[in-house]
Amino acid sequence: MAKFRLDEVDHQILDMLIDNTRVPFTDIAKKLLISAGTVHVRVKKMEDAGIIKGSSLTIDYKKLGYSFIAYVGIFLQNTSQTKFVLERINLIPFVTVAHVTTGKFNIFCKIRAKDTEHAKEIIFMLDDIDGVYRTETMISLEESLNDKKRLMHDIFREL
Amino acid sequence: MAKFRLDEVDHQILDMLIDNTRVPFTDIAKKLLISAGTVHVRVKKMEDAGIIKGSSLTIDYKKLGYSFIAYVGIFLQNTSQTKFVLERINLIPFVTVAHVTTGKFNIFCKIRAKDTEHAKEIIFMLDDIDGVYRTETMISLEESLNDKKRLMHDIFREL
DNA sequence: GGTGAAACTTCTAATAA
DNA sequence: TTATTAGAAGTTTCACC
């Protein structure tokens, strides 16, 4: 996998766009004291390089009734079933992420549900998959996400 | 927390914007056979209601040299230290998410690092926080994210 | 609620420095 | 690589359904 080096201007453009993808290029240009054309060229370069993969809205799932988050560790009867089980897990829409991991569990996933009742249904679906030996659930009582801007700044600057 | 009902048109607008925030409102209008003005009003309504919290770029962290993902479960000496430890964790930029959980661990977080050496440093930083009794690491060998579009469609439609 | 058109803003690509 | 510019395209408002 190729590794790209971005300069300070690229970083600042990314920072602004990560914060809000709809910020006009003209605003970015004004703030960074460069032309809008330059912003356009830089963004295109990063898109072509695949550093910018796309953009997405941040949705408030709580407002839509999905405030329950849990992590579920899965023990398999046999690791050879990993691929099969992963495929089955991906068919359950409320499982938002699944990882094959080393350590305690074979597969580890995150679920987002309406409430405990709904979460129970999802966990039962996971338990019912062939090859799943047992599961262990951790309910999230509080989520704390790192500030995107700071993450970008600190992580990328030191590359 | 208030719960909002969105109609089919709202869902379709969200679907398109979740897929790509820079899709022109005129394109959305054409596809849904409504006017661009309507799209504008609907989006604004969802922004005002807080359902659309913002927008962000999807960055290819692998291309920037960050391909190592791990989950770390943290055991505290005493649950009363939860708030303090969480604050300290949030100072580490490579910890991207942290959850207070029930079950096996007291706090559970996700880290993104360059490689095993870098991950080790981050985990040591977590271990060094006052009140942290011990940690347990699960390394992600393979990440599988549910398709955003399908997630939206399946989850929200049945509200 | 939605529409359509006008006024305004932004994007994009070509050209030039 | 960056700046300028101008035509194309998108956004936003508003009078009217």
Side-chain angles (χ1 to χ4, degrees):
Chain A
M1 180 72 72
K3 212 166 137 180
F4 286 85
R5 287 198 81 84
L6 307 178
D7 69 12
E8 189 55 28
V9 174
D10 292 325
H11 282 303
Q12 299 222 34
I13 292 172
L14 278 184
D15 274 352
M16 292 186 74
L17 287 175
I18 280 170
D19 203 47
N20 174 14
T21 57
R22 291 190 100 93
V23 115
F25 288 3
T26 44
D27 284 8
I28 297 175
K30 240 174 280 171
K31 187 160 178 190
L32 304 184
L33 306 173
I34 53 178
S35 76
T38 302
V39 177
H40 179 243
V41 170
R42 298 269 193 147
V43 170
K44 195 153 179 10
K45 193 184 66 191
M46 292 189 279
E47 281 172 349
D48 291 346
I51 290 168
I52 297 175
K53 281 198 290 190
S55 57
S56 189
L57 291 185
T58 311
I59 303 288
D60 190 336
Y61 291 98
K62 281 188 197 160
K63 284 233 167 77
L64 290 167
Y66 284 80
S67 50
F68 194 97
I69 295 173
Y71 287 91
V72 181
I74 296 174
F75 297 89
L76 298 177
Q77 278 154 9
N78 195 305
T79 51
S80 64
Q81 295 158 308
T82 306
K83 194 166 179 297
F84 169 79
V85 173
L86 256 193
E87 278 166 13
R88 291 308 173 93
I89 288 173
N90 277 329
L91 295 178
I92 307 172
F94 306 99
V95 178
T96 56
V97 196
H99 288 265
V100 179
T101 54
T102 65
K104 197 169 160 47
F105 309 111
N106 298 115
I107 295 176
F108 190 69
C109 56
K110 180 177 183 176
I111 68 175
R112 183 176 280 280
K114 278 185 281 201
D115 47 41
T116 47
E117 186 58 33
H118 185 214
K120 200 181 72 185
E121 286 170 26
I122 299 165
I123 292 164
F124 281 1
M125 287 170 84
L126 289 169
D127 271 319
D128 273 353
I129 296 172
D130 277 342
V132 170
Y133 172 57
R134 68 181 188 89
T135 61
E136 202 172 295
T137 302
M138 284 159 278
I139 295 168
S140 170
L141 304 173
E142 185 186 336
E143 189 179 26
S144 159
L145 281 93
N146 249 332
D147 178 62
K148 275 178 292 183
K149 277 209 80 117
R150 218 198 59 227
L151 185 69
M152 278 301 293
H153 188 88
D154 293 356
I155 287 187
F156 293 168
R157 291 303 189 282
E158 51 85 63
L159 273 180
Chain B
M1 179 74 70
K3 210 166 137 182
F4 286 84
R5 288 200 81 85
L6 306 178
D7 69 12
E8 189 55 29
V9 174
D10 292 324
H11 282 303
Q12 300 222 33
I13 292 172
L14 278 184
D15 274 352
M16 291 185 76
L17 287 174
I18 280 170
D19 205 47
N20 173 15
T21 58
R22 289 189 102 91
V23 113
F25 288 3
T26 44
D27 283 9
I28 297 175
K30 238 174 282 171
K31 187 160 177 190
L32 304 184
L33 306 173
I34 54 179
S35 75
T38 301
V39 176
H40 180 248
V41 169
R42 297 266 192 148
V43 170
K44 191 150 182 12
K45 192 184 67 192
M46 291 190 278
E47 281 172 349
D48 292 345
I51 290 168
I52 296 175
K53 282 197 289 191
S55 57
S56 189
L57 291 185
T58 311
I59 303 289
D60 190 336
Y61 292 98
K62 282 187 198 159
K63 284 233 167 80
L64 290 167
Y66 284 80
S67 50
F68 194 97
I69 295 173
Y71 286 92
V72 180
I74 296 173
F75 297 90
L76 298 177
Q77 278 153 11
N78 195 306
T79 52
S80 65
Q81 297 157 309
T82 306
K83 195 168 178 297
F84 169 79
V85 174
L86 256 193
E87 279 166 11
R88 292 308 174 91
I89 288 173
N90 276 331
L91 296 177
I92 306 172
F94 306 99
V95 178
T96 56
V97 196
H99 288 265
V100 179
T101 55
T102 65
K104 195 168 162 47
F105 309 111
N106 298 116
I107 296 175
F108 189 70
C109 57
K110 180 178 182 175
I111 67 175
R112 184 177 280 280
K114 277 185 281 201
D115 47 40
T116 49
E117 186 58 33
H118 185 213
K120 200 181 72 186
E121 286 170 28
I122 300 166
I123 293 164
F124 280 2
M125 287 170 84
L126 289 170
D127 272 318
D128 272 353
I129 296 171
D130 277 342
V132 170
Y133 172 57
R134 68 181 189 88
T135 60
E136 202 173 296
T137 303
M138 284 157 279
I139 296 168
S140 170
L141 305 173
E142 184 186 337
E143 188 177 24
S144 159
L145 282 92
N146 249 332
D147 178 64
K148 275 179 293 186
K149 277 211 79 117
R150 217 200 58 226
L151 185 68
M152 277 299 294
H153 188 89
D154 291 357
I155 287 188
F156 293 169
R157 290 303 190 282
E158 51 85 61
L159 274 180

